[in-house]
Amino acid sequence: MAESTKSEISEDEIAAKAEMTDYYRRAYEGYWGFLEGRCHYGYTPDDHKGKFDMREAQLAMERKLGKTLGLGPGAKILDAGCGWGHVGRLLTEEFDYDVTGIDYDVERVRTAQKLNLEEEVSMGVARADYQRLPFSDNSFDGIYTMETLVHAYSLDVVLSEFKRVLKPGGKLVLFEYSIPPLDSVPTLPRYLAKKVIEFTSMTSLPKFTHGSFPEILTAAGFENAEAEEISKNVYKSWKHLFGHANGEALDNFVHLKWGLKYVPGSVFIWPARKELGYNICQAYKPMD
């Protein structure tokens, strides 16, 4: 198979992808833009002391991802949902990986390509939908998502595509959120959660219940699936962004941008931190 043959796309999927694109453009106008487009949370070790630095925490998260991949120099890696390409560039420069980034949003792809040229980093970037990957079977030694698999419109299809383009024995690494089953959540928080999921187009998030990742990956045909929950190592970045998000929400209100759509998700994350999870997941494509 030269590339995915899954070309049909429903009106609902088109609408979900449009909502996702709109969400990221709002986010980059807000605090993610303030963070130079590094659109992911940060990691602090258990023994961290002193002043919290969000940028350093984000870099630590990116390095943790590189170490979790654990592949040798020159390994061909797919960044599924690369955004502005910050993670892929760090992995290219510090781990000597051969990274290809894809993103659905053409503006994010253009920005990543521009930054690659400015920083003189040899990293391929292309507009693509990871439900319909434009790559041959057995193309990559590793694939990762950094808080982007939540946007998969059809999780089963995406994982099938990841498995198809991984080489036998190739490694999949996911840095993703988890939540309680929504039907176990009280009425008001459940309503707010569903609205946040809708406005951020995190279509697959309800499937990411606590402890579910090994089962999800095994059912998709991967082996040796495991997950490590590191939520407390992310708490400081959640708290940091809670302050920025409240300021952004107030600014939106002042400028007559009303409604939950204009309330950044980080407004809800810190208060609900004990109910939320952040996970490092890994699995392998079978050799046969």
Side-chain angles (χ1 to χ4, degrees), residues 22 29 51 58 62 74 94-95 112 127 142 145 149 154 170 246:
D22 184 51
E29 291 172 358
K51 186 177 179 180
Q58 288 181 305
E62 294 169 15
E94 295 193 11
F95 291 83
R127 182 176 188 264
T145 65
L149 191 61
S154 174
N246 276 289

Side-chain angles (χ1 to χ4, degrees), residues 46-288:
D46 294 334
D47 60 354
H48 177 266
K49 295 179 181 178
K51 186 177 179 180
F52 175 76
D53 185 301
M54 183 66 181
R55 179 177 172 80
E56 288 303 314
Q58 288 181 305
L59 291 172
M61 186 71 87
E62 294 169 15
R63 293 182 178 115
K64 192 164 188 65
L65 187 149
K67 292 175 182 177
T68 303
L69 280 165
L71 301 170
K76 293 180 66 64
I77 308 295
L78 177 64
D79 179 340
C82 67
W84 287 7
H86 290 297
V87 180
R89 282 190 294 278
L90 181 138
L91 297 185
T92 298
E93 292 190 296
E94 295 193 11
F95 291 83
D96 198 21
Y97 292 154
D98 179 4
V99 180
T100 298
I102 60 167
D103 202 279
Y104 185 77
D105 184 353
V106 65
E107 293 301 325
R108 301 213 300 171
V109 169
R110 287 172 180 163
T111 301
Q113 291 170 334
K114 177 176 177 288
L115 291 172
N116 287 348
L117 288 172
E118 290 176 356
E119 298 180 25
E120 299 182 342
V121 176
S122 179
M123 169 189 165
V125 182
R127 182 176 188 264
D129 176 357
Y130 55 32
Q131 289 194 187
R132 300 163 182 83
L133 293 174
F135 305 110
S136 300
D137 296 0
N138 309 322
S139 293
F140 296 97
D141 300 295
I143 298 175
Y144 69 83
T145 65
M146 177 66 90
E147 306 174 18
T148 63
L149 191 61
V150 287
H151 298 298
Y153 183 77
S154 174
L155 180 62
D156 292 344
V157 172
V158 171
L159 292 177
S160 175
E161 281 289 272
F162 286 173
K163 183 168 173 281
R164 178 181 68 80
V165 302
L166 271 175
K167 297 176 183 179
K171 190 170 185 179
L172 176 64
V173 171
L174 312 173
F175 278 44
E176 298 290 341
Y177 323 126
S178 62
I179 61 174
L182 286 177
D183 59 8
S184 71
V185 177
T187 302
L188 180 57
R190 182 169 67 248
Y191 169 79
L192 292 173
K194 287 182 176 180
K195 284 298 181 182
V196 171
I197 289 167
E198 175 188 348
F199 294 141
T200 59
S201 195
M202 293 187 180
T203 311
S204 284
L205 183 57
K207 298 179 182 180
F208 297 169
T209 54
H210 299 317
S212 66
F213 282 106
E215 182 179 351
I216 288 171
L217 294 173
T218 300
F222 293 91
E223 62 183 16
N224 299 324
E226 58 183 74
E228 177 187 8
E229 197 262 344
I230 62 161
S231 304
K232 290 185 178 179
N233 301 102
V234 186
Y235 274 5
K236 290 186 178 181
S237 66
W238 284 353
K239 185 177 182 180
H240 178 80
L241 289 178
F242 175 68
H244 285 282
N246 276 289
E248 183 180 331
L250 178 59
D251 185 67
N252 285 337
F253 182 81
V254 168
H255 289 87
L256 305 182
K257 294 179 180 179
W258 298 342
L260 285 174
K261 186 172 186 176
Y262 296 104
V263 179
S266 289
V267 167
F268 306 104
I269 289 175
W270 176 246
R273 60 192 176 279
K274 293 183 179 179
E275 303 300 322
L276 304 177
Y278 194 102
N279 308 271
I280 297 176
C281 317
Q282 52 187 307
Y284 298 83
K285 178 175 176 175
M287 289 297 298
D288 46 38

Side-chain angles (χ1 to χ4, degrees), residues 3-42:
E3 59 182 55
S4 174
T5 59
K6 301 176 179 69
S7 58
E8 295 183 4
I9 182 166
S10 68
E11 290 185 5
D12 286 346
E13 185 180 344
I14 291 171
K17 284 179 164 53
E19 189 71 65
M20 177 184 67
T21 299
D22 184 51
Y23 159 67
Y24 275 108
R25 290 181 181 175
R26 293 196 310 272
Y28 284 122
E29 291 172 358
Y31 58 83
W32 290 124
F34 173 74
L35 294 168
E36 299 179 344
R38 269 193 156 81
C39 199
H40 64 81
Y41 294 111

